[in-house]
Amino acid sequence: DGFAWTDQSVTFAAAAQNGYFCTGVLSVNLPASPTQGNTIIIYVDSASVVTIQANIGQTIQIGSSQSSVAGTAASTAEGSTVTLVYRAADLEWHSISQEGTWTLA
């Protein structure tokens, strides 16, 4: 898929077109100014809480569930993964694939 993959063990700012193996308790801060089609892949490689944080005005949708504005998606299930793609028209990060358990807030 051409994505660069890195291991992350502390809170970080995600960059578009990257994949991340999250190996500890951390927050993934989504880009503040994404463009249409920006994609980020998160893989939970720990039993620790991994929280994906949307920016001001943004939401996260996984399946039929949607976060609040500037909300979160969190998982503590090792092996959980989510691929998020940004749609500018609704300021929303949409899951185009996901496994495991994600809790939206």
Side-chain angles (χ1 to χ4, degrees):
D1 61 26
F3 277 40
W5 282 86
T6 56
D7 288 359
Q8 298 289 337
S9 61
V10 297
T11 295
F12 66 98
Q17 312 315 111
N18 281 272
Y20 300 96
F21 293 106
C22 298
T23 62
V25 175
L26 59 80
S27 289
V28 179
N29 297 312
L30 294 173
S33 299
T35 58
Q36 178 92 351
N38 280 177
T39 304
I40 294 170
I41 304 171
I42 303 298
Y43 183 92
V44 179
D45 197 19
S46 164
S48 302
V49 178
V50 172
T51 303
I52 303 169
Q53 176 68 58
N55 265 285
I56 295 169
Q58 299 174 0
T59 57
I60 301 168
Q61 183 172 346
I62 298 177
S64 61
S65 299
Q66 184 174 7
S67 74
S68 59
V69 175
T72 61
S75 182
T76 58
E78 187 166 0
S80 288
T81 184
V82 65
T83 301
L84 297 172
V85 63
Y86 187 74
R87 182 171 180 239
D90 57 11
L91 304 176
E92 189 161 79
W93 289 93
H94 293 270
S95 168
I96 56 171
S97 71
Q98 65 93 22
E99 290 185 32
T101 303
W102 293 92
T103 302
L104 297 173

